[in-house]
Amino acid sequence: MRFLCGIKVFREVKWLEMGTVVFEELKALVRYTRMPDRVEEGRDRLIRFLDSFDGGTDTEVAIVDSLCAYFGLFPYVTQGSKFLSTAEAMAYEFHRPDIDLGNESFVFHEDQAKVYFRLLDGESVILSAPTSFGKSAILDALVASRRWNNFVVIVPTVALIDEVRRRLTAFSTSYCMVTHPTQPTGERNIYVLTQERFLDLPTVPQVDFFMIDEFYKLCSTGADVQRMSLLNIAWKQLRSTGAQYYLAGPNVDRLAEGLDEGLRRSLFVSRYQTVAVDVEYRDNVADGQILDDMCQLWQELQGSTLVFVSAPSRAERVAVQVAGFPAVLEPTCFAKKVAEWLSENYHPEWRVVQALRSGVAVHTGPMPRSLQRVMIRLFGQGSVSVLVCTSTLIEGVNTSAKNVIVYDKKINNKPIDYFTFSNVRGRAGRMSRHFLGRVISYMDPPAEVLTEVDIPIDSQGDAAPVSAIVQLPSEELTDSSRKRLGPIFEQSYLSLATIRANKGFDPELQIEAAKLIYEDSSLRAKLARSGGLSIREMRPVIDFCFNNILMPSQRRGMNVSRLVGMVDAVCKSGGCLGELVSNQEQYKFPNEDVSDLVSRVLSFERNWMGFTIPSMLRSLQRIHNEIASNLGERVANYQFFISQVESLFLPAGVLDLDEYGLPVPIAMRFYRMGMVQSSDVSLVLSSFVSLAKRPEVRSKLSDVELWIVDDVLDGLGEPYVVS
């Protein structure tokens, strides 16, 4: 619905001084109010005008406010505007949610309001919208409405758990925030979890409303097949509760034909842009000349800049090289202090440290989550003007810049596709911060294609992983799925219950592993380990898991000897990264330097120790124990060893604080000052907060450490706030 008459605006225009630049542009913009088929073009042109509009005269402001209202850009209407007509003022108030979002001036744009009110009316919505749309603000408003008792929010990464938790903390006086499966719950809860953590909950909670962020990952392929399978299982469990849902993501055009009509009707595709973006392709620049070309371009860049690079090691190298550009702004004194703190507490030869000293921050997947937070904060507050990143930042974390440079042309040796490029491009500009974003791309312009999302566990097509459809009850299986699952149902080596308990793992590999265990009594004896086991004692178990439970793609780039050696080195390091890196220097790969080794060690801790090793051991334990129990033999219990691996052999609870923004070196200091050890993260957080408020503790922390600690405290909210 439009609340503005183009003739009314045109009458306002004649009051302006004829022939001025503002007059000519406003006259052109008013013409769009008479062309409903060119609304998107008119909105884009208005946003570009706003980028340079300095406020002007009352008459100019009145016309601009009317145009913003016409094009649905209510967030850009002057706050408290006295120039709106009665109809425009009513429209403005209609787009303001009737709840407290901690910002009295908050108002939805046109398409945001459409989605919000559909959800308030009880509809489920699958939203595909540009990155700058403001999808998260809709969730915030729904939570603030307090209409639902129990929310579940599924996000793709632990870093996003922290971001969403921090954002929703404002409402934690009414809700219990749950980000770990072991945390206590209340009468009203907000669960913010990855799919893995959701599936680790003891039981499926009562759910009134759930959201899945970046929902296109329901049909990701390749190396993410296990995570895709787990996300499908989580979706199936959540949907089976009958709860209302809100799925959100960018650049999706349609849902697969094989999905039910209700799902497909719930898709809301919006092209609504709140920023304008200029894209410049420089694909004619040779690979070896890109840095030189960037150096020349940098002199004309204004504002903050994101540089997208395909892989962590490349990102760190590019960051150091960009830091050498003469036109890169000098970092603040505080950013330099952070760089020195990282040098002392992580490693002085790490390229991340070298780049930050010269004003370039780095954000990659292998980095500890607390350091990712540090980098985003430095960039967001303007302490540095450049952030070099990989897809871990692009996919979901709420960060944007005036400029985005697409440095690489490929990811995993494949050209960057249109979907990924659109995601990267969406980081240029941000509603209410940067009206106009600029993208400089060194890749060939990708062919524009329609993006279709399937939900394999629902459609049960040929691409659906067996590890997902095996979770379905028999009555929901299609004939095709029954045929695919036939060998699994007909074999007698492993029960369906155990196969289903090992969520995400290939059923056929599980059955083959069970067959080997069943037929070899000496193997069963090797696997029947329990108690406080050393890495040497666990070697046969890890060896069997690695070669029989994991898929080939999950083993790529690793072997058992290196895996066991790395785990042992982490155990002996006591949390000291410098000591761990020194221990591993003799095992460096060809052409690998110390900085590469630092990143590889951090990646190993994050991916192998944080997820792969624990999950494969739990799966093997279930398989072995079913067979051993049936044969009347001794069962295995790897749980203590698993907990040690997951915690990097640190005191219980220390590593958990990393995802709240507290780096391990600081957490270890708090542990030495009396912070409790516990597998219950709530107890650890309460102990940390109590210590962090004490003057005698704070006096022992540096400026950088206080900056980090206070950020953690600010992000916790109730029930951890203490006086």
Side-chain angles (χ1 to χ4, degrees):
M1 182 177 181
R2 299 294 173 194
F3 299 90
L4 184 65
C5 174
I7 296 175
K8 181 245 182 190
V9 174
F10 183 73
R11 287 172 178 166
E12 299 281 355
V13 171
K14 70 179 182 181
W15 299 343
L16 296 175
E17 183 180 345
M18 300 289 287
T20 65
V21 173
V22 171
F23 170 82
E24 294 300 327
E25 186 58 23
L26 287 178
K27 185 169 68 171
L29 285 166
V30 166
R31 291 195 184 102
Y32 284 100
T33 68
R34 302 171 182 173
M35 297 181 283
D37 58 328
R38 297 176 65 183
V39 168
E40 289 186 14
E41 181 184 336
R43 185 185 303 119
D44 182 84
R45 187 162 177 174
L46 174 59
I47 292 168
R48 292 174 185 277
F49 172 80
L50 291 171
D51 186 60
S52 58
F53 184 59
D54 60 3
T57 66
D58 283 356
T59 302
E60 291 168 349
V61 171
I63 296 168
V64 171
D65 281 349
S66 288
L67 285 166
C68 286
Y70 176 83
F71 287 109
L73 292 168
F74 294 99
Y76 292 155
V77 172
T78 305
Q79 185 179 353
S81 176
K82 59 185 178 182
F83 304 116
L84 298 178
S85 69
T86 301
E88 291 163 353
M90 289 178 64
Y92 183 89
E93 290 303 318
F94 174 80
H95 287 76
R96 188 205 301 271
D98 187 25
I99 40 146
D100 179 16
L101 281 174
N103 180 0
E104 293 182 2
S105 65
F106 181 83
V107 61
F108 286 129
H109 61 68
E110 184 177 7
D111 273 17
Q112 265 182 317
K114 290 177 183 176
V115 174
Y116 172 68
F117 286 116
R118 280 180 60 173
L119 289 164
L120 274 189
D121 288 343
E123 291 185 53
S124 291
V125 175
I126 301 177
L127 172 62
S128 169
T131 304
S132 61
F133 183 90
K135 297 180 282 288
S136 299
I138 296 172
L139 173 65
D140 298 352
L142 294 172
V143 171
S145 74
R146 296 172 173 82
R147 292 197 179 191
W148 296 269
N149 287 329
N150 289 288
F151 287 85
V152 173
V153 183
I154 304 295
V155 294
T157 65
V158 174
L160 275 170
I161 288 180
D162 184 55
E163 180 180 306
V164 174
R165 178 189 58 77
R166 285 173 178 272
R167 221 181 49 241
L168 298 182
T169 288
F171 319 118
S172 60
T173 53
S174 299
Y175 291 94
C176 180
M177 299 291 295
V178 181
T179 59
H180 285 261
T182 58
Q183 281 182 283
T185 59
E187 291 185 11
R188 295 162 66 89
N189 304 282
I190 303 175
Y191 297 82
V192 186
L193 305 162
T194 58
Q195 56 263 41
E196 291 86 358
R197 290 190 181 182
F198 172 76
L199 294 172
D200 280 343
L201 291 171
T203 58
V204 177
Q206 178 182 338
V207 184
D208 302 307
F209 188 101
F210 71 90
M211 176 185 182
I212 295 180
D213 195 16
E214 308 295 326
F215 76 92
Y216 63 87
K217 291 182 178 289
L218 281 160
C219 68
S220 297
T221 56
D224 289 335
V225 66
Q226 185 179 18
R227 299 207 74 215
M228 178 193 76
S229 179
L230 292 173
L231 183 57
N232 272 260
I233 296 166
W235 153 257
K236 194 68 177 179
Q237 289 189 5
L238 285 164
R239 198 180 182 204
S240 68
T241 66
Q244 187 180 349
Y245 57 82
Y246 168 42
L247 276 54
N251 310 317
V252 174
D253 298 288
R254 63 194 179 201
L255 298 181
E257 291 287 339
L259 298 174
D260 69 70
E261 187 60 30
L263 270 178
R264 297 175 65 216
R265 277 199 310 268
S266 67
L267 178 64
F268 183 96
V269 178
S270 173
R271 303 287 182 237
Y272 199 98
Q273 296 280 1
T274 59
V275 298
V277 178
D278 290 327
V279 181
E280 176 185 351
Y281 290 102
R282 301 179 71 84
D283 49 302
N284 60 328
V285 178
D287 290 353
Q289 300 300 316
I290 291 177
L291 282 167
D292 290 338
D293 189 71
M294 282 173 58
C295 186
Q296 294 298 317
L297 273 173
W298 218 276
Q299 301 174 54
E300 63 183 68
L301 293 182
Q302 296 180 351
S304 56
T305 302
L306 281 175
V307 181
F308 172 69
V309 183
S310 62
S313 60
R314 284 175 60 79
E316 292 175 10
R317 282 181 161 80
V318 170
V320 172
Q321 291 166 317
V322 170
F325 292 174
V328 169
L329 297 178
E330 184 78 5
T332 63
C333 290
F334 185 75
K336 291 181 179 179
K337 284 185 179 180
V338 175
E340 294 312 310
W341 186 86
L342 291 172
S343 174
E344 294 168 6
N345 290 275
Y346 286 85
H347 204 286
E349 295 183 55
W350 194 15
R351 288 190 187 86
V352 170
V353 173
Q354 299 170 30
L356 187 58
R357 283 181 176 137
S358 298
V360 177
V362 181
H363 186 292
T364 68
M367 292 178 69
R369 297 177 184 101
S370 56
L371 298 194
Q372 292 176 343
R373 170 77 181 167
V374 165
M375 296 297 167
I376 290 172
R377 290 183 70 203
L378 289 173
F379 183 67
Q381 69 187 27
S383 292
V384 295
S385 61
V386 187
L387 179 59
V388 179
C389 66
T390 56
S391 59
T392 51
L393 180 71
I394 295 300
E395 294 177 351
V397 178
N398 196 17
T399 302
S400 62
K402 180 73 173 176
N403 313 293
V404 171
I405 297 177
V406 183
Y407 178 85
D408 275 327
K409 302 180 180 183
K410 296 182 178 182
I411 297 179
N412 296 327
N413 296 317
K414 295 180 180 179
I416 295 174
D417 59 23
Y418 180 75
F419 180 87
T420 303
F421 178 78
S422 298
N423 232 356
V424 176
R425 180 182 59 193
R427 293 296 165 183
R430 175 64 67 176
M431 183 165 58
S432 301
R433 289 189 62 187
H434 308 298
F435 289 105
L436 181 60
R438 181 181 181 186
V439 175
I440 299 166
S441 175
Y442 288 96
M443 60 175 281
D444 298 330
E448 186 170 347
V449 295
L450 294 178
T451 300
E452 180 178 276
V453 167
D454 189 14
I455 304 178
I457 202 168
D458 283 345
S459 63
Q460 299 184 48
D462 291 341
V466 174
S467 55
I469 60 174
V470 76
Q471 301 289 333
L472 295 171
S474 178
E475 62 272 15
E476 293 186 19
L477 294 173
T478 64
D479 291 342
S480 175
S481 293
R482 288 180 194 279
K483 185 175 180 180
R484 292 178 67 193
L485 294 174
I488 296 169
F489 292 153
E490 293 163 9
Q491 57 82 37
S492 58
Y493 289 101
L494 194 62
S495 70
L496 197 58
T498 295
I499 291 171
R500 286 174 169 168
N502 291 335
K503 298 180 180 71
F505 283 94
D506 187 293
E508 293 175 351
L509 288 179
Q510 291 186 59
I511 292 166
E512 286 301 313
K515 182 178 180 181
L516 292 173
I517 295 169
Y518 182 81
E519 294 175 348
D520 189 339
S521 60
S522 63
L523 176 59
R524 293 196 298 276
K526 289 180 182 178
L527 300 181
R529 305 292 171 99
S530 300
L533 301 163
S534 67
I535 184 65
R536 181 182 60 81
E537 292 169 316
M538 283 294 291
R539 170 70 187 254
V541 180
I542 292 173
D543 197 326
F544 185 84
C545 270
F546 184 87
N547 289 299
N548 296 282
I549 300 294
L550 299 183
M551 293 182 290
S553 60
Q554 294 173 295
R555 301 195 298 265
R556 189 176 297 124
M558 182 60 67
N559 61 56
V560 173
S561 295
R562 193 183 320 136
L563 186 152
V564 170
M566 287 282 284
V567 172
D568 189 42
V570 172
C571 176
K572 293 174 180 176
S573 70
C576 177
L577 181 64
E579 181 179 327
L580 176 56
V581 170
S582 295
N583 174 280
Q584 291 295 300
E585 279 198 58
Q586 59 184 313
Y587 304 114
K588 283 191 304 192
F589 295 143
N591 302 319
E592 188 177 52
D593 60 20
V594 173
S595 181
D596 295 322
L597 186 56
V598 171
S599 297
R600 182 157 61 82
V601 166
L602 291 173
S603 178
F604 179 83
E605 290 181 335
R606 164 73 70 84
N607 298 317
W608 281 96
M609 297 185 70
F611 176 70
T612 304
I613 296 174
S615 62
M616 73 182 190
L617 287 176
R618 288 190 178 101
S619 296
L620 177 60
Q621 180 176 290
R622 295 187 187 102
I623 295 169
H624 172 272
N625 287 355
E626 178 186 318
I627 295 168
S629 297
N630 290 340
L631 295 174
E633 297 178 357
R634 185 162 58 96
V635 298
N637 187 343
Y638 312 141
Q639 193 52 48
F640 180 78
F641 181 79
I642 290 171
S643 66
Q644 292 287 91
V645 170
E646 285 180 315
S647 66
L648 305 184
F649 298 93
L650 298 172
V654 165
L655 188 63
D656 290 330
L657 295 182
D658 179 73
E659 71 181 64
Y660 289 86
L662 193 71
V664 166
I666 302 178
M668 284 298 293
R669 290 186 65 187
F670 273 83
Y671 166 71
R672 289 190 286 268
M673 288 188 284
M675 187 175 72
V676 301
Q677 281 193 76
S678 177
S679 57
D680 184 342
V681 69
S682 300
L683 295 178
V684 178
L685 285 168
S686 296
S687 179
F688 160 74
V689 170
S690 179
L691 285 168
K693 294 285 187 177
R694 295 181 187 175
E696 66 272 21
V697 171
R698 296 179 66 84
S699 67
K700 296 177 183 178
L701 302 176
S702 68
D703 290 347
V704 172
E705 290 165 340
L706 284 171
W707 177 72
I708 293 172
V709 166
D710 287 342
D711 177 60
V712 176
L713 294 175
D714 290 343
L716 286 175
E718 298 288 350
Y720 304 109
V721 174
V722 296
S723 58

